[in-house]
Amino acid sequence: GAGVSQSPSNKVTEKGKDVELRCDPISGHTALYWYRQSLGQGLEFLIYFQGNSAPDKSGLPSDRFSAERTGGSVSTLTIQRTQQEDSAVYLCASSLVAGEDYNSPLHFGNGTRLTVT
Amino acid sequence: SQQGEEDPQALSIQEGENATMNCSYKTSINNLQWYRQNSGRGLVHLILIRSNEREKHSGRLRVTLDTSKKSSSLLITASRAADTASYFCASYQAGTALIFGKGTTLSVSS
């Protein structure tokens, strides 16, 4: 079946512009995560959605970052007034359910590489 | 914030040798997971070990967990060039967000 799909795969934008990154999770997965990975670094948690519950936004680095998930499926990560330090690979993942009680592995997309010039 | 920290940061071995990567974590866990990331790709789940398990095997992978030391290790036996990738441990921290370490970059040369 189809895996997690992210678009675009690459995005180059000018400093100060807004960008939208899209994630299509695996059908039936109720949990959706966004992570950021800077060059050669580990994954930085940004935000996660679980079903209809309020999202956990504790990882968002600033109020320029926001995300929404429509209809419990597709998610969009928006970065307003982009800065050069926003340059990174943005990874989306989904799982059947969230939480360590359920042992659901995460399935990742291949990411969107964002370059802010 | 990082829940797990992998060691070493980088490892270079020859094909056929074993590779061992270690992970230390900070808070109590119910389970710990290991993922692999090939260059330019997303992460792929390898194995999950529960807190009441001490060792788990999957093919050429062996994972151990020592909850008293808050540490885990991933052993890849008889490594192949195709095992070249970054390996991450991950566990849940204070809620339901899965937090990853910085990873170990493994290079296997033929």
Side-chain angles (χ1 to χ4, degrees), chain A residues 27-77:
Chain A
S27 178
H29 280 193
T30 64
L32 186 148
Y33 298 77
W34 283 99
Y35 292 88
R36 178 169 71 175
Q37 186 175 33
S38 300
L39 186 64
Q41 299 296 308
L43 276 69
E44 177 187 4
F45 166 72
L46 297 178
I47 185 171
Y48 103 92
F49 299 85
Q50 169 59 61
N52 296 320
S53 302
D56 179 348
K57 305 178 182 180
S58 60
L60 294 178
S62 76
D63 58 9
R64 296 187 296 105
F65 288 73
S66 63
E68 63 177 20
R69 188 178 185 191
T70 54
S73 181
V74 172
S75 176
T76 302
L77 177 69

Side-chain angles (χ1 to χ4, degrees), chain B residues 27-38:
Chain B
T27 61
S28 296
I29 58 171
N30 282 355
N31 67 66
L32 186 138
Q33 305 181 32
W34 284 89
Y35 288 77
R36 182 184 74 202
Q37 183 180 35
N38 289 85

Side-chain angles (χ1 to χ4, degrees), chain B residues 14-69:
Chain B
Q14 298 285 322
E15 267 193 325
E17 293 180 338
N18 296 341
T20 299
M21 289 158 270
N22 303 297
C23 167
S24 59
Y25 57 91
K26 299 174 184 176
T27 61
S28 296
I29 58 171
N30 282 355
N31 67 66
L32 186 138
Q33 305 181 32
W34 284 89
Y35 288 77
R36 182 184 74 202
Q37 183 180 35
N38 289 85
S39 180
R41 311 282 290 185
L43 280 72
V44 175
H45 180 260
L46 293 176
I47 196 167
L48 179 152
I49 186 165
R50 294 179 175 80
S51 60
N52 61 355
E53 297 176 309
R54 291 297 169 260
E55 187 171 309
K56 195 165 183 179
H57 297 254
S58 177
R60 293 183 297 111
L61 305 181
R62 189 189 99 181
V63 169
T64 63
L65 180 65
D66 187 335
T67 53
S68 66
K69 296 180 179 178

